[in-house]
Amino acid sequence: MTNSTDSSFADIQTHWAKDSIHQLFSRQIISGYPDGSFRPNNSVTRAEFAAILNKAFPQATPVRDAINFRDVPANHWANSAIQTVTRAGFFSGYPNGTFRPNQPIPRVQALVALVSGLQYDRDPNPNPILQQYYDDTAAIPNYARGAIATATRQFLVVNYPDVRHLHPNRNATRGEVAALISRALKLPGVPRQYIPGWDIIAIEPLFDQADSFTQERARVKLGNKWGYIDQAGTFVVDPQLDEAEPFSEGIALVRLQQNGVDLSWVRSRHFSARSAKALTTNAQKAEGRGQRAEGKEKGGKVEGNNNDLKEHDITQQQNRFLSPEIRGVWLTTTDSQVFSSPKNMAEAMDFLANTGFNLVFPVVWNNGATLYPSRLMRDTMGLEIDPRFTGRDPLAELIQAAKNVGLAVIPWFEYGFACSYNQKGGRLLAQKPDWAARDRQGNLLTKNNFEWLNAFDPQVQNFIIGLILEVIQNYDIAGIQGDDRLPALPSEGGYDSQTVQRYIQQFNQEPPRNPKDAQWLQWRADLLTDFLTRLYRQVVTINPELIISIAPSPYPWGFQEYLQDNQAWADQGLIDMMHPQFYRRDFASYKQLVDRLVNDQLSPVQLSTVIPGILIKSGSYRISSQDLVQAIEYNRDRGLAGEVLFFYEGLRQDNDTLAKALRSHVYAQSVPFNTAQVKAQGFTHRRVGAEYRYIDRFGNLVTQPEFDWLDSFQEERARVRMGYKYGYIDKTGHLITRLEFDQADQFAEGLARVKVGSRYGYIDLSGQSVISPQFDQTTRFSEGLAAVKVEDQWGYIDKIGQWVIPTQFDQAELFSEGLAAVQLAGKYGYCDSSGQLVIPANFDAAGSFAQGLAPVQLGDRWGYINSTGELVIEPQFDAAQPFSQELAAVKIGSFWGYINKKGEQVISPEFDQVRSFSDGLAPIQMGKRWGYIRNLFDKS
């Protein structure tokens, strides 16, 4: 062919093979004519075809010696190419020793040459496939029938304009040759309607991602949104979901970004996947715009979606730098004049800023009154503000004074669920006597002279939340704070009739008479944790930048005495900053509390939220400068990034002695308070702006649980996570376990593996532990057995935790069809359920048995064995998957196809990625798009 340097040939603009011509021209495989034409309908000689093959397959391996054809002299322009492709097996010439270089090549010869040179096995039984796809099979020469059948299976044949007419003896045109070579090189561009056998494509490749079908639905992605299609390729749930999981047990888990979108609209308008072509283009454009915008906001880094909250989320948090030091102080109305006037406030804020503090916690809820004008208190209790401050707004005054000197403000709801101090309930119970908490004798709950509201009463909870929301909606603050009374209730409480009936309804028995009964303690503490969860969500829904801060009593004392399960609060990520009140009057006692917290209670990532409370003044007691500095230095040594001091007036005593010590030493350099960094360590990003839902097969809402992460249902149970801990819910969305596991797996055969600390065990469907955590690693149960690891060896246990196969393997996989792959001395074999090695460990890798065969690896090639260990399909593949619906996906070179149980290629290696067949369809990737092929070969 003569040369042309421009692929925009004037005579191919409307030609059916133009894309193939461009593809080969760009690779310098073909060229045009000096006049700028390509002449796609001209015939191609055998010499020209040999030259094209030589350029298209330069790495073809020689399979025979050269042949000196009588009619191809050494000085023939194509002699070198003819010799090369002949040695590679593409050609063999004619029986009389000629090549006939100037003879136009028929289509049949071009196809036979490709099948021969690419070393495809010729179909020994070609007639069925030839008759299936061609109306002119009688015209195919006998010598070529096997090769044409193979070429059809490999999707090499291109028939234009009628896909059912091969026209084997017609001379191949330049356009047809370009299309044939493109198919052989697996290049895009050939119109699929002209490729025989392409009826295997059930749903056209249109999607950016696609999953296998389950329960007649498959999730697919267009742009950056997920939807669900049926087996006809019709959307039943439109592609507008940010996250989506496959259907399981009739429902699917989805997640939607809110952003002002009507989340109720998820059901499809029933348009076909084929009409998604327009959506694909629009989605790509939108995704590009979104990525560019997101890149600007994140310093140019474009981040993808996460379909679930995986372990790497925690790892990312562990790798974050801790926030700059947090230096806080509590401001009280007891033994303090700070709130007496705006002048005192301004003076105090200026003093704190100059001392090196960056955060203040002013009291706003104290002894049944607020330190700000409260509409809720006015309407509920008839008292708008603490009478001492009538006509003023101390909170607003203090916020302004703090802002003037760069201090952050977090209002402190000091009394929490306590209603009064030594006042028999005070004004709150005078107005709302039914809100009183009760002890076992039915008396008003009183502890250390504090009287208490019923923290379990929904009305009381709503009242306290209302006070908090009132503050966050009306004031410019950094967050809100509870303490050892919020959320809290003395453990002697909970015996009011409402709470008792709630307990009876759940357990069918009266609450224990012993208020310290372990189960009774935990049940009531969990109610307070539920309250804190609700409070957290309501606060961050209004303003996701606000910090949720709690200053609880030390654990476990606070749990036993005040039902404060701050271990669970930290585990579930319900606190952005925790200030345990480590109020000790000597350094050794303070150190002991810090050490217990760091060593035994919280993980390193959780410690990033801990800013201990240090007692500097109480009555006549004041900490020494030496002990204060030593405590702060010890905080830093143990990785704690700050402290909060109780309380302000202690800094002013003895001519500001403590403040001077701080200013000259540990607080010598000012550090600004950084709200964003505090929030980045928490889970607010999982709790605002999006919501999880379970939907049915038509997109209808089934249930909407509120957790940081959820999973699909298996055996009527789904694992969920809040913060750092996993639990399980039923299909009503109710927890069947506490959120107490460090890792959790889906249920299988009635059991789920869970991790507590560093050990694995198993729970049943009721959430009860049936095999205690004791193993270093485990698998799920399969065929009644689970593989477990003790130290560096694996064995198998049954469902009651009894050893069935003692530890002896280096690695062990799930049982399938009575056999499990196990590793010994670096090689894999298979054992039966008695532990006998029935297939010797001779393989480099091994997969599970499915439909009687298992993929195994020898060297760098994969094949298949049967249950006796016999190699029934020789190792020849670069990768292999288990059989499903009588076919197995295998990889040859860079492409995937499917074989049957005889090892025959029934679907040629044509695809960039594939998945197994399910419901008669398999997802396949061609280029950048996913579609589905149908299984035409499963006769079961």
Side-chain angles (χ1 to χ4, degrees):
M1 293 186 181
T2 53
N3 293 328
S4 173
T5 59
D6 186 1
S7 67
S8 301
F9 303 112
D11 55 347
I12 69 167
Q13 300 308 308
T14 60
H15 195 272
W16 64 272
K18 65 177 182 179
D19 291 338
S20 296
I21 294 168
H22 288 311
Q23 289 275 9
L24 299 190
F25 181 88
S26 67
R27 289 167 172 76
Q28 299 182 347
I29 295 173
I30 60 175
S31 57
Y33 291 89
D35 64 357
S37 67
F38 183 78
R39 305 175 195 177
N41 296 321
N42 282 11
S43 60
V44 177
T45 67
R46 284 168 57 84
E48 290 173 332
F49 191 63
I52 293 173
L53 290 173
N54 189 40
K55 292 180 179 181
F57 304 100
Q59 306 300 322
T61 303
V63 297
R64 63 160 69 100
D65 294 333
I67 300 175
N68 294 317
F69 297 109
R70 292 190 294 111
D71 55 348
V72 182
N75 62 353
H76 190 280
W77 71 269
N79 177 61
S80 177
I82 291 171
Q83 291 296 325
T84 299
V85 298
T86 299
R87 285 195 300 271
F90 286 98
F91 285 111
S92 59
Y94 289 91
N96 63 359
T98 61
F99 185 80
R100 304 180 190 177
N102 298 321
Q103 174 182 296
I105 188 167
R107 284 167 48 83
V108 68
Q109 287 187 12
L111 288 166
V112 170
L114 286 171
V115 170
S116 300
L118 296 175
Q119 300 179 30
Y120 292 137
D121 293 332
R122 299 193 182 201
D123 194 328
N125 184 27
N127 289 335
I129 193 169
L130 296 180
Q131 292 171 0
Q132 179 181 354
Y133 288 109
Y134 305 112
D135 292 337
D136 53 354
T137 56
I140 302 174
N142 287 335
Y143 80 88
R145 297 179 75 84
I148 297 300
T150 296
T152 304
R153 289 192 187 278
Q154 298 292 333
F155 302 114
L156 297 181
V157 182
V158 182
N159 292 339
Y160 173 85
D162 183 354
V163 71
R164 292 198 58 82
H165 282 82
L166 180 64
H167 298 295
N169 300 308
R170 188 177 70 190
N171 291 339
T173 66
R174 284 164 57 83
E176 287 174 332
V177 165
L180 295 177
I181 297 297
S182 290
R183 294 303 306 143
L185 293 173
K186 303 188 186 304
L187 299 176
V190 178
R192 295 189 178 99
Q193 65 267 32
Y194 303 135
I195 304 172
W198 209 255
D199 55 345
I200 198 170
I201 300 294
I203 301 173
E204 189 176 350
L206 297 169
F207 310 110
D208 294 286
Q209 291 188 42
D211 254 352
S212 297
F213 273 88
T214 57
Q215 302 179 338
E216 300 180 347
R217 296 290 185 268
R219 63 172 183 167
V220 295
K221 195 175 188 182
L222 277 176
N224 62 353
K225 298 293 183 180
W226 292 89
Y228 294 89
I229 59 172
D230 61 19
Q231 291 177 308
T234 300
F235 275 102
V236 291
V237 178
D238 284 351
Q240 59 171 343
L241 307 170
D242 297 284
E243 300 176 17
E245 294 297 319
F247 272 89
S248 176
E249 300 185 356
I251 59 179
L253 175 68
V254 301
R255 192 166 188 253
L256 302 95
Q257 295 290 338
Q258 291 172 333
N259 299 328
V261 177
D262 178 8
L263 298 180
S264 65
W265 183 71
V266 298
R267 285 183 290 176
S268 175
R269 300 183 301 279
H270 297 293
F271 58 95
S272 168
R274 285 171 172 75
S275 70
K277 289 182 178 179
L279 272 181
T280 303
T281 301
N282 292 336
Q284 287 175 318
K285 293 178 179 178
E287 184 177 20
R289 289 193 296 269
Q291 288 181 342
R292 287 192 294 274
E294 187 176 5
K296 291 178 181 178
E297 292 180 4
K298 298 183 178 181
K301 179 180 178 182
V302 177
E303 300 178 352
N305 290 330
N306 289 326
N307 283 355
D308 51 28
L309 188 60
K310 299 293 186 184
E311 294 305 319
H312 70 265
D313 293 339
I314 292 180
T315 302
Q316 286 178 340
Q317 292 182 45
Q318 289 173 330
N319 290 336
R320 290 183 180 129
F321 290 106
L322 294 177
S323 300
E325 288 184 12
I326 294 170
R327 304 168 179 175
V329 64
W330 278 290
L331 304 175
T332 72
T333 55
T334 304
D335 295 334
S336 175
Q337 296 300 313
V338 170
F339 288 91
S340 297
S341 68
K343 178 183 176 183
N344 285 2
M345 290 181 182
E347 196 175 283
M349 295 306 101
D350 189 59
F351 173 81
L352 290 172
N354 289 333
T355 304
F357 287 88
N358 54 24
L359 177 62
V360 294
F361 297 91
V363 61
V364 293
W365 171 240
N366 182 295
N367 209 11
T370 59
L371 272 73
Y372 64 91
S374 168
R375 181 175 180 178
L376 178 60
M377 277 291 292
R378 184 194 67 194
D379 294 346
T380 306
M381 302 295 174
L383 181 70
E384 184 178 48
I385 194 171
D386 187 316
R388 292 175 293 175
F389 304 106
T390 300
R392 290 178 55 199
D393 187 344
L395 178 57
E397 295 166 1
L398 189 137
I399 290 172
Q400 185 58 55
K403 184 181 294 186
N404 290 341
V405 292
L407 294 177
V409 177
I410 295 182
W412 166 34
F413 290 81
E414 179 188 8
Y415 262 51
F417 285 113
C419 53
S420 61
Y421 181 79
N422 209 20
Q423 295 179 14
K424 298 180 181 181
R427 61 175 66 92
L428 297 186
L429 292 188
Q431 292 289 329
K432 298 286 185 179
D434 292 342
W435 285 10
R438 300 292 173 184
D439 62 18
R440 188 165 58 84
Q441 289 75 33
N443 298 321
L444 172 63
L445 182 61
T446 304
K447 191 166 185 171
N448 297 330
N449 293 324
F450 283 94
E451 294 94 20
W452 288 79
L453 300 171
N454 182 4
F456 305 137
D457 187 323
Q459 290 187 20
V460 173
Q461 290 187 354
N462 290 339
F463 171 72
I464 295 297
I465 289 177
L467 292 176
I468 294 171
L469 298 187
E470 193 173 53
V471 169
I472 69 175
Q473 289 172 320
N474 294 326
Y475 295 93
D476 183 12
I477 55 178
I480 57 96
Q481 186 184 70
D483 58 6
D484 51 345
R485 290 183 283 272
L486 180 65
L489 188 74
S491 56
E492 294 79 7
Y495 290 93
D496 60 283
S497 60
Q498 187 179 44
T499 305
V500 168
Q501 286 303 312
R502 188 173 178 180
Y503 185 89
I504 293 173
Q505 184 177 7
Q506 183 169 344
F507 298 105
N508 200 29
Q509 62 182 15
E510 294 275 346
R513 295 177 61 81
N514 176 14
K516 297 297 178 65
D517 176 86
Q519 185 270 343
W520 175 228
L521 278 174
Q522 190 64 69
W523 185 80
R524 290 173 293 163
D526 287 346
L527 296 182
L528 293 182
T529 300
D530 292 342
F531 165 81
L532 181 57
T533 303
R534 185 159 68 97
L535 171 62
Y536 189 112
R537 289 192 180 278
Q538 291 196 36
V539 169
V540 299
T541 297
I542 294 173
N543 184 351
E545 302 303 319
L546 289 177
I547 292 169
I548 285 74
S549 162
I550 304 289
S553 298
Y555 185 88
W557 186 87
F559 172 76
Q560 296 164 348
E561 299 296 326
Y562 286 92
L563 304 176
Q564 290 198 301
D565 194 354
N566 38 304
Q567 180 72 55
W569 303 346
D571 287 343
Q572 297 177 32
L574 301 178
I575 309 175
D576 297 315
M577 291 196 308
M578 181 165 65
H579 316 286
Q581 296 182 18
F582 288 170
Y583 293 172
R584 297 296 182 265
R585 302 194 179 195
D586 62 272
F587 174 72
S589 299
Y590 177 83
K591 177 179 179 297
Q592 185 179 33
L593 290 176
V594 171
D595 289 343
R596 184 172 64 185
L597 180 81
V598 173
N599 297 335
D600 303 328
Q601 294 178 351
L602 299 181
S603 68
V605 66
Q606 292 173 318
L607 288 174
S608 65
T609 68
V610 175
I611 314 296
I614 299 177
L615 179 66
I616 64 171
K617 173 179 168 53
S618 178
S620 62
Y621 166 77
R622 181 176 65 78
I623 195 172
S624 70
S625 299
Q626 179 182 355
D627 281 355
L628 177 58
V629 170
Q630 190 175 13
I632 292 174
E633 288 180 331
Y634 194 69
N635 285 346
R636 303 302 178 272
D637 289 343
R638 297 312 311 265
L640 304 180
E643 49 281 325
V644 183
L645 309 187
F646 186 85
F647 59 105
Y648 170 78
E649 296 300 334
L651 297 169
R652 306 308 305 263
Q653 283 189 340
D654 297 334
N655 195 27
D656 305 339
T657 297
L658 294 181
K660 291 175 181 177
L662 294 175
R663 196 160 45 228
S664 65
H665 193 59
V666 287
Y667 286 4
Q669 293 184 341
S670 297
V671 176
F673 182 76
N674 192 319
T675 301
Q677 283 188 299
V678 173
K679 293 298 291 185
Q681 297 173 159
F683 291 87
T684 297
H685 67 287
R686 296 294 301 182
R687 297 168 186 170
V688 296
E691 62 184 30
Y692 280 109
R693 292 180 170 194
Y694 288 100
I695 59 172
D696 65 17
R697 294 171 63 249
F698 301 98
N700 299 304
L701 175 67
V702 175
T703 186
Q704 190 170 330
E706 290 188 335
F707 296 94
D708 294 335
W709 178 84
L710 297 96
D711 200 5
S712 300
F713 276 91
Q714 293 290 336
E715 301 187 5
E716 302 289 317
R717 300 290 183 265
R719 55 182 176 162
V720 299
R721 195 168 99 185
M722 277 290 289
Y724 305 98
K725 295 293 182 177
Y726 288 89
Y728 292 86
I729 60 171
D730 60 23
K731 285 191 174 177
T732 67
H734 292 123
L735 281 165
I736 64 159
T737 67
R738 299 188 69 246
L739 292 158
E740 58 184 341
F741 306 115
D742 296 295
Q743 287 185 19
D745 204 356
Q746 291 181 325
F747 274 89
E749 299 186 358
L751 298 177
R753 69 170 192 148
V754 294
K755 186 179 183 183
V756 178
S758 61
R759 293 289 183 264
Y760 287 88
Y762 294 86
I763 63 171
D764 63 18
L765 289 166
S766 70
Q768 298 299 309
S769 176
V770 293
I771 302 174
S772 63
Q774 56 191 286
F775 305 108
D776 296 311
Q777 187 55 270
T778 61
T779 68
R780 62 180 172 85
F781 273 88
S782 177
E783 299 185 0
L785 298 177
V788 298
K789 186 180 183 183
V790 178
E791 294 182 349
D792 59 352
Q793 292 287 289
W794 288 80
Y796 290 86
I797 59 171
D798 63 18
K799 290 185 177 180
I800 60 173
Q802 298 295 316
W803 286 102
V804 177
I805 303 173
T807 54
Q808 57 190 286
F809 307 115
D810 300 323
Q811 187 59 261
E813 307 297 339
L814 299 177
F815 270 89
S816 177
E817 300 185 1
L819 297 173
V822 293
Q823 187 186 51
L824 287 167
K827 295 289 185 179
Y828 281 88
Y830 292 82
C831 72
D832 63 17
S833 58
S834 70
Q836 181 179 356
L837 195 67
V838 295
I839 298 176
N842 296 324
F843 306 107
D844 296 295
S848 297
F849 274 89
Q851 300 188 322
L853 300 180
V856 294
Q857 186 181 25
L858 282 172
D860 61 351
R861 289 290 180 265
W862 286 81
Y864 291 84
I865 61 172
N866 61 20
S867 59
T868 69
E870 177 188 1
L871 271 170
V872 294
I873 301 175
E874 289 294 323
Q876 56 191 288
F877 309 111
D878 295 290
Q881 297 178 6
F883 274 86
S884 176
Q885 299 188 342
E886 302 301 314
L887 298 181
V890 295
K891 188 177 185 182
I892 300 176
S894 300
F895 296 96
W896 288 83
Y898 294 84
I899 60 171
N900 61 20
K901 290 184 178 179
K902 297 179 181 179
E904 299 168 337
Q905 290 186 27
V906 295
I907 301 175
S908 69
E910 178 76 22
F911 312 109
D912 298 290
Q913 294 287 339
V914 299
R915 308 195 202 287
S916 296
F917 275 94
S918 175
D919 291 349
L921 298 173
I924 51 91
Q925 184 184 32
M926 301 186 72
K928 295 182 178 180
R929 293 286 177 262
W930 285 82
Y932 292 83
I933 59 173
R934 56 175 58 92
N935 189 347
L936 302 176
F937 308 96
D938 182 6
K939 306 303 180 185
S940 59

